[in-house]
Amino acid sequence: MNVSVNRNTIWCELFVNILQQNSIKNVCISPGSRSTPLTYSVAINNYFKKYVLTDERNSGFFALGLAKSINSTVAVITTSGTAVAELYPSIIEAFYQRIPLLICTADRPFYLRNTGANQTINQENIFKNHIRHFYDANLPNLQMKNLIRFQVNLQKAIKIACEQKGPVHINFQFEKPFEPDSYTDIISSRTIKKIFQLNNLVQNSAGKRTTLKKDTLKLIEHVERGLIFCGFANYSKDFFYHCVRLSKYLNFPIVADGASGLRFGPQVNENIIENFNSLLKSKKFLENINPELIIQFGGAPTSNAMLDFFKNVNAEKIIVNEFGDKNDPSLTAKHFLKIHPADFISEVLNKIEKKNSNYWITKLEFLNQLAETHKVNFLSPIEEFFEGKVITELIDALPDKCNLMVSNSLPIRDVDFFAQKTKKKINIFVNRGASGIDGIISTALGIKADSRKLPTYLLIGDLAFMHDFNSLFNSIKLSLPITIILINNNGGGIFKSLPISSYGKTFKNYFLTPHNISFAQLINGLGCNYHQIKNWNDFKKQILTSSKKQKLSVLELRTNALESKLIRNKFWKSVAKEIDNQFDEN
């Protein structure tokens, strides 16, 4: 028996089946005409969780946040032309963070490229510098050999996304007609049955387990003064527990970057050093504290002070991650280990004797606590909205078991500088791959989509907020209420801490970006909740109550960038003096 079919529909239904076989359940869709076959095939399949986002840039970052939260691959569907290019910022971020995204772009037929055809650009490997794999699917063809080739290439792309952890681009070429009841071919029902019996499910292979070389083990074994540095990463759920075990076993303190998340949760103890940036302000500290070894998990440090320390300190450095990524902007590390952190820790615990000397770690813990006490005493009397105190008050006010997305620029630096340790389970998220300020709100909404029951908060500056303002509409459309803590210094506050700020008129006209926008009118106009924070008590109250509301809430704190700069400088000088005095007394 022969039946009439649309070859685009058959092609895409086979693709959808392969997604389902590989347990890719979440799909972000931006509407368009050329992508009709892809969208339709996903839309009619109840297996998938579908998120429709009009703006492709929003969609890409939303998928990024969702993939980070579920720790699994998310598919993104867009139409052809410039819509494809809108995805690039999120793809770059996913590439450097090693977040698995399956980028599915619709395209005109290859023969229309470079002919002036409407909405046609050269999409062939358009993201080549920031993807793990590219597959141009060519035009649908229902011959069995082409269907098998199509399936094998799809499976290969998905395998790479899942195992290498990164974005993969599949480009689908389609000719009209797109709708399923606009027929293009007549084939036998037996052939259709055979097509959908194709099943070449890719199993993710664990790969060969890496072991540590003897010289690496000897290096760790013979060192007494070591540091464990944890930067941002997509750590496994049990990593923090095992990292603390390693710290106690070696008597190496853990320097926890603010983006790492290691300062928050049940594993927190005295081995974790959260004020290392403050200690680095002391000349006496730099002169007297000389680690012999630094073991680094995750990404590079957030702060420039820590980066300079890495560059200038006379210590061996071991960079550990499962992909062998060279996360070392200081260019001083000699040892890059392509090994899963859990395997590294297990080998060290099993093959190196426990270190009993605790003089080194006790000394650093004492100095860390000294800096923490000084920080609390310094911030306590401040009544104006200083960003450093915003961080400590926020961490103190957040409920146990919540998500916190932190924007780039000043917010993540302030978290790194000022965030205190707490036993509360705060899941921290950052976009520290390329560290841009675009797509931050969309990423937070993607995180919320996975964990609807957890209160989700976003700490963001005014410029990053403006960059992604249109994503607030997605919060309403998708019923994803989050709380946004908006620090408004009227644009460009971070530049006042840079040397260019001394260049008068040039700095004022070309670096500062005052906007004088009333965010209240914009936010209320969208039907979201808005509140301008009056004082610190009001701030804490709003943090507690906002998460119970069923709409997105924006809590605005207006700060003065110049005053904040002066307070920061005063704090750094005072804490440096405190630490210097400690060395003078000894």
Side-chain angles (χ1 to χ4, degrees):
M1 177 181 172
N2 292 334
V3 293
S4 297
V5 298
N6 183 299
R7 70 183 64 161
N8 295 322
T9 302
I10 297 294
W11 199 249
C12 291
E13 285 181 358
L14 180 57
F15 166 66
V16 162
N17 280 3
I18 292 172
L19 290 183
Q20 192 167 344
Q21 290 169 16
N22 287 276
S23 302
I24 297 176
K25 193 177 184 69
N26 295 275
V27 184
C28 297
I29 301 169
S30 292
S33 175
R34 188 64 51 167
S35 54
T36 296
L38 284 169
T39 300
Y40 179 83
S41 297
V42 171
I44 63 173
N45 191 319
N46 292 330
Y47 169 78
F48 297 101
K49 290 183 179 178
K50 283 90 71 170
Y51 303 92
V52 179
L53 302 105
T54 306
D55 186 311
E56 289 81 10
R57 190 177 71 162
N58 290 166
S59 183
F61 278 106
F62 184 96
L64 175 76
L66 182 56
K68 283 157 68 81
S69 187
I70 66 176
N71 195 28
S72 187
T73 305
V74 173
V76 180
I77 293 175
T78 67
T79 192
S80 63
T82 56
V84 176
E86 293 290 342
L87 293 174
Y88 209 168
S90 58
I91 289 171
I92 292 171
E93 188 63 33
F95 178 82
Y96 287 113
Q97 283 197 58
R98 286 197 178 268
I99 303 295
L101 296 180
L102 198 64
I103 306 299
C104 308
T105 60
D107 196 1
R108 259 64 174 172
F110 66 91
Y111 54 76
L112 289 180
R113 291 172 185 165
N114 303 314
T115 64
N118 187 44
Q119 288 189 325
T120 303
I121 66 173
N122 187 356
Q123 295 175 202
E124 184 177 7
N125 213 2
I126 189 173
F127 309 121
K128 64 181 179 181
N129 290 326
H130 299 98
I131 53 168
R132 303 292 169 192
H133 180 70
F134 170 71
Y135 168 47
D136 199 337
N138 216 318
L139 290 167
N141 186 308
L142 300 188
Q143 290 184 5
M144 190 57 65
K145 65 178 182 180
N146 291 312
L147 290 165
I148 292 172
R149 187 185 302 117
F150 177 56
Q151 185 209 36
V152 168
N153 282 312
L154 291 177
Q155 296 284 18
K156 178 182 177 181
I158 292 171
K159 180 182 175 72
I160 290 171
C162 294
E163 292 188 358
Q164 295 187 22
K165 301 292 184 185
V168 162
H169 179 201
I170 304 174
N171 193 53
F172 294 83
Q173 298 177 36
F174 297 120
E175 292 177 311
K176 292 181 178 181
F178 306 137
E179 294 70 25
D181 57 356
S182 298
Y183 306 125
T184 60
D185 296 82
I186 298 176
I187 58 176
S188 69
S189 55
R190 181 181 298 178
T191 302
I192 292 180
K193 185 177 180 180
K194 195 173 180 180
I195 289 172
F196 288 101
Q197 284 178 341
L198 291 172
N199 188 1
N200 182 31
L201 178 61
V202 169
Q203 299 293 333
N204 292 339
S205 57
K208 185 179 178 181
R209 187 177 182 274
T210 307
T211 57
L212 295 182
K213 294 180 179 179
K214 288 184 179 180
D215 58 345
T216 303
L217 291 168
K218 277 186 178 181
L219 176 61
I220 299 171
E221 189 172 29
H222 293 151
V223 163
E224 292 296 328
R225 302 190 312 277
L227 293 177
I228 298 171
F229 173 78
C230 291
F232 85 93
N234 305 304
Y235 294 115
S236 60
K237 291 182 179 179
D238 58 352
F239 169 77
F240 291 169
Y241 167 75
H242 291 299
C243 189
V244 170
R245 280 183 63 207
L246 180 68
S247 171
K248 291 181 176 180
Y249 191 81
L250 297 177
N251 274 326
F252 291 178
I254 300 170
V255 178
D257 191 284
S260 70
L262 195 53
R263 300 184 194 180
F264 316 127
Q267 79 288 335
V268 167
N269 62 46
E270 65 280 359
N271 286 41
I272 296 173
I273 307 296
E274 77 275 26
N275 292 298
F276 206 80
N277 283 304
S278 293
L279 301 180
L280 292 176
K281 299 297 179 180
S282 163
K283 290 183 179 179
K284 297 290 178 67
F285 178 84
L286 292 172
E287 291 170 359
N288 289 275
I289 300 300
N290 297 301
E292 302 165 278
L293 174 67
I294 298 174
I295 300 172
Q296 177 183 323
F297 297 107
T302 296
S303 78
N304 287 329
M306 192 69 188
L307 286 170
D308 288 341
F309 176 74
F310 270 44
K311 185 176 182 179
N312 297 322
V313 70
N314 186 24
E316 293 282 352
K317 302 176 187 71
I318 298 175
I319 313 294
V320 180
N321 64 78
E322 61 184 304
F323 304 105
D325 292 337
K326 297 184 177 181
N327 298 322
D328 176 39
S330 73
L331 304 178
T332 58
K334 298 177 183 176
H335 310 277
F336 297 94
L337 303 187
K338 187 178 180 180
I339 183 173
H340 194 284
D343 291 340
F344 174 86
I345 293 172
S346 177
E347 288 230 22
V348 171
L349 294 178
N350 290 329
K351 295 182 178 179
I352 293 179
E353 289 189 10
K354 188 178 188 297
K355 296 181 186 291
N356 295 317
S357 173
N358 62 358
Y359 169 77
W360 165 255
I361 194 170
T362 301
K363 185 174 184 179
L364 286 174
E365 287 171 356
F366 172 77
L367 293 172
N368 179 66
Q369 187 55 50
L370 193 69
E372 178 65 20
T373 301
H374 181 83
K375 179 178 70 179
V376 171
N377 293 336
F378 181 90
L379 294 177
S380 181
I382 295 177
E383 295 184 1
E384 62 265 44
F385 290 136
F386 167 58
E387 292 92 341
K389 188 167 181 176
V390 171
I391 304 303
T392 59
E393 294 290 314
L394 174 61
I395 299 302
D396 188 54
L398 287 175
D400 190 18
K401 297 179 181 178
C402 68
N403 297 323
L404 174 62
M405 173 74 189
V406 182
S407 180
N408 289 311
S409 197
L410 268 182
I412 187 56
R413 286 174 171 82
D414 283 329
V415 167
D416 191 35
F417 293 149
F418 296 103
Q420 68 272 34
K421 293 185 292 192
T422 176
K423 292 283 186 180
K424 289 188 288 189
K425 180 60 176 173
I426 301 172
N427 304 314
I428 193 164
F429 295 90
V430 294
N431 279 351
R432 296 299 291 172
S435 301
I437 63 169
D438 45 351
I440 300 295
I441 301 174
S442 297
T443 305
L445 293 175
I447 293 164
K448 179 64 175 177
D450 171 56
S451 50
R452 290 177 180 266
K453 293 182 179 180
L454 280 185
T456 298
Y457 299 84
L458 167 61
L459 179 67
I460 193 169
D462 51 316
L463 293 186
F465 184 83
M466 291 166 62
H467 261 270
D468 202 23
F469 180 79
N470 65 335
S471 64
L472 298 186
F473 171 74
N474 295 321
S475 172
I476 301 167
K477 180 183 177 183
L478 301 174
S479 299
L480 297 172
I482 64 173
T483 298
I484 298 178
I485 299 96
L486 171 59
I487 300 178
N488 182 5
N489 60 22
N490 202 27
I494 191 171
F495 291 114
K496 290 191 176 179
S497 63
L498 300 178
I500 192 65
S501 62
S502 64
Y503 284 74
K505 189 175 180 181
T506 300
F507 174 69
K508 180 180 178 181
N509 291 339
Y510 295 97
F511 289 88
L512 291 182
T513 52
H515 48 76
N516 302 311
I517 290 175
S518 170
F519 289 114
Q521 294 180 21
L522 294 172
I523 294 161
N524 288 328
L526 283 172
C528 300
N529 299 311
Y530 169 85
H531 181 83
Q532 184 181 339
I533 300 299
K534 302 177 182 66
N535 51 52
W536 293 116
N537 287 333
D538 184 37
F539 182 50
K540 286 188 175 182
K541 177 184 175 183
Q542 293 298 325
I543 291 294
L544 290 173
T545 59
S546 62
S547 63
K548 299 175 183 177
K549 297 177 180 178
Q550 298 305 308
K551 291 182 180 179
L552 178 142
S553 297
V554 177
L555 311 179
E556 182 182 6
L557 298 98
R558 297 181 182 175
T559 64
N560 184 296
L562 182 58
E563 289 181 6
S564 291
K565 177 183 177 181
L566 296 175
I567 294 174
R568 285 172 200 278
N569 291 340
K570 184 178 179 181
F571 173 71
W572 296 134
K573 288 180 181 178
S574 64
V575 74
K577 184 177 179 181
E578 183 85 12
I579 303 304
D580 283 346
N581 288 342
Q582 186 59 42
F583 282 98
D584 289 339
E585 291 173 7
N586 293 333

